[in-house]
Amino acid sequence: MTMAMAMTASQLRWGWGWRPAPKQQRRRMTPVVCSIAIENAQNKERARLKKLFEEAYERCRTAPTEGVSFSLQQFTDALDKYDYESEIGTKVKGTVFATDASGAYVDITAKSTAYLPLQESCIHRIKHVEQAGIVPGMREEFVIIGENEADDTLILSLRSIQYDLAWERCRQLQAEDAVVKGKVVNANKGGVVAQVEGLKGFVPFSQISTKSVGEELLDKEIPFKFVEVDEEQSRLVLSQRKAVAESQGQLGIGSVVTGCVQSIKPYGAFIDIGGISGLLHVSQISHDRITDIATVLSPGDTLKVMILSHDRERGRVSLSTKKLEPTPGDMIRNPKLVFEKAEEMAQTFRQRIAQAEAMARADMLRFQPESGLTLSGDGILGPLASDLPPEGLDLSEVPPAEDS
């Protein structure tokens, strides 16, 4: 009896006929439980995201600008302000943000990128945009000249703007009748081509004052005046004769001018004085004898010289530093002193000439009162007629000024 009751209690405790599952079977049940838990979590996340999407959609449909710090009108105005038209000829402001061997990339705050090709970056020929000062960070005004249909890139130009400014500058200089310096870059049968203000102007041989052939003028800088400035026809005609004529009018005999040594020859030095080449003969450099000019002067030297004579027909100008020496030989020993006292010595020289001419005039009028000679305000003896030679007398043989 007691045994039977114990067995019954044991069955009630553990369940009728129940036996613990083997260890291997319990391991198979664990993955099933985990899969169910993960699936439930994913379903909850999907439901949460769906709810967020539905709420966001409802807000966009019913109140699209709620919580936005600017109005729709302000947004539209901003687009109008920064979204440029891409029509050819439109000028835009832009900032360079990158460069390469072929040009530069420019930010013009438009929907598409803008590019500045190398050949459009400068009015002069350059090998890299940096030679024109185009570097990242540079801000400038550009003009749209095209569009690359492949990638909608806008093509910009600085050269077009620079050409417009160059033509305007040339028109202004022509109106002022100004003398400008230009470099001869080419020559042909009719004349030479010179670059002025970034433009190429033609100089007919009839408008060149010297008898030099075109090849001899290549790479030289000479003065010009404008004859014709026609942007529409792209015609720029220059004249050296007009420029030289004005410069020659300022070359008074006995005046002091500043020049630059162009070349040295055994017989003297050629000096550039405002675009005109003058000869400083070896005998007019110093009172002391000079056997080798190179010991006193060198090409490129800047010096002051006095005009001795000027042959307009032949285009020859004779110069002297000898007449400017305070003491004979100073051009060899102390040229700086000669240049410092150049105006003072020239004034003394002109006074001596005026006195000599006044005495000559008095003597001439005493014996030939009908000669009609007079002394000009510059101390030059000449006829009263209006065709007085502008160069006056040749003063190359006047004795040196010495302290009395």
Side-chain angles (χ1 to χ4, degrees):
M1 181 71 177
T2 302
M3 180 68 69
M5 292 177 64
M7 291 178 63
T8 302
S10 176
Q11 290 174 352
L12 291 172
R13 181 179 179 183
W14 298 105
W16 295 100
W18 179 87
R19 291 291 185 273
K23 187 175 182 180
Q24 183 178 3
Q25 185 176 356
R26 291 199 301 269
R27 289 176 181 173
R28 291 174 182 169
M29 294 174 63
T30 301
V32 175
V33 175
C34 292
S35 298
I36 295 172
I38 292 172
E39 184 177 357
N40 290 337
Q42 290 176 342
N43 290 336
K44 289 181 180 179
E45 181 64 17
R46 290 192 189 98
R48 186 181 72 83
L49 292 175
K50 181 180 180 181
K51 183 179 180 181
L52 289 175
F53 175 79
E54 290 174 348
E55 291 176 352
Y57 175 78
E58 186 64 19
R59 282 197 305 271
C60 291
R61 189 179 65 83
T62 58
T65 60
E66 182 180 352
V68 179
S69 60
F70 52 85
S71 66
L72 182 60
Q73 183 60 43
Q74 290 174 326
F75 180 71
T76 303
D77 293 342
L79 288 178
D80 292 339
K81 181 178 180 181
Y82 294 105
D83 188 19
Y84 294 108
E85 296 290 339
S86 59
E87 293 183 1
I88 293 178
T90 303
K91 291 184 179 181
V92 295
K93 286 280 189 177
T95 303
V96 176
F97 64 87
T99 63
D100 59 21
S102 301
Y105 295 91
V106 184
D107 176 18
I108 59 172
T109 61
K111 293 180 180 179
S112 57
T113 306
Y115 190 71
L116 176 69
L118 175 63
Q119 64 270 20
E120 293 295 332
S121 62
C122 185
I123 197 172
H124 303 288
R125 290 187 179 182
I126 56 176
K127 294 183 178 180
H128 196 278
V129 292
E130 290 181 352
Q131 293 178 262
I134 300 173
V135 295
M138 184 199 81
R139 184 166 178 80
E140 189 57 83
E141 184 178 56
F142 304 85
V143 61
I144 299 175
I145 61 172
E147 183 177 1
N148 188 341
E149 296 181 357
D151 57 5
D152 293 331
T153 300
L154 296 178
I155 307 301
L156 306 179
S157 175
L158 275 176
R159 187 177 67 163
S160 297
I161 295 178
Q162 292 172 354
Y163 269 128
D164 291 341
L165 294 175
W167 280 108
E168 179 61 31
R169 176 63 175 159
C170 288
R171 284 191 292 269
Q172 179 183 354
L173 291 170
Q174 183 187 32
E176 296 174 356
D177 198 30
V179 175
V180 296
K181 282 289 188 72
K183 184 178 182 180
V184 178
V185 296
N186 199 1
N188 54 40
K189 294 181 179 180
V192 299
V193 178
Q195 194 165 45
V196 176
E197 297 294 326
L199 301 175
K200 290 183 178 180
F202 180 65
V203 190
F205 279 126
S206 62
Q207 294 300 315
I208 297 177
S209 62
T210 65
K211 295 182 179 180
S212 303
V213 295
E215 288 72 13
E216 295 178 352
L217 298 174
L218 286 177
D219 296 326
K220 290 186 178 180
E221 283 198 354
I222 53 180
F224 297 104
K225 274 194 173 187
F226 293 95
V227 175
E228 181 180 355
V229 180
D230 189 341
E231 183 177 2
E232 292 184 1
Q233 299 296 326
S234 190
R235 282 172 56 89
L236 188 66
V237 182
L238 308 170
S239 172
Q240 186 203 16
R241 280 188 175 277
K242 292 180 66 177
V244 170
E246 179 172 309
S247 300
Q248 288 178 344
Q250 301 172 354
L251 297 180
I253 305 303
S255 61
V256 175
V257 295
T258 300
C260 179
V261 179
Q262 289 181 311
S263 61
I264 301 294
K265 303 294 181 181
Y267 52 84
F270 285 96
I271 314 296
D272 176 18
I273 48 174
I276 301 174
S277 183
L279 174 63
L280 177 60
H281 195 270
V282 62
S283 64
Q284 287 296 327
I285 296 177
S286 176
H287 287 90
D288 287 2
R289 179 179 173 80
I290 296 176
T291 56
D292 185 3
I293 301 176
T295 61
V296 183
L297 300 173
S298 300
D301 286 353
T302 299
L303 71 167
K304 289 184 177 181
V305 292
M306 189 175 74
I307 308 296
L308 282 184
S309 64
H310 184 193
D311 187 339
R312 295 176 185 274
E313 293 183 0
R314 296 184 180 181
R316 295 179 179 177
V317 180
S318 298
L319 309 172
S320 175
T321 52
K322 175 180 177 179
K323 310 298 184 188
L324 302 178
E325 289 183 322
T327 305
D330 280 344
M331 266 302 293
I332 300 174
R333 296 186 297 270
N334 190 2
K336 183 178 179 181
L337 177 64
V338 176
F339 304 147
E340 288 177 353
K341 294 185 171 293
E343 284 76 11
E344 179 182 340
M345 295 302 298
Q347 179 63 27
T348 302
F349 178 80
R350 288 192 294 268
Q351 290 175 354
R352 291 178 181 273
I353 296 302
Q355 292 174 2
E357 290 187 339
M359 292 177 62
R361 174 178 176 274
D363 290 340
M364 187 173 295
L365 292 178
R366 183 183 308 164
F367 297 102
Q368 298 179 356
E370 69 283 359
S371 61
L373 294 177
T374 185
L375 191 65
S376 70
D378 294 330
I380 299 177
L381 185 65
L384 287 170
S386 59
D387 58 347
L388 172 67
E391 64 271 16
L393 301 178
D394 186 344
L395 308 181
S396 59
E397 299 300 325
V398 174
E402 298 179 357
D403 294 334
S404 55

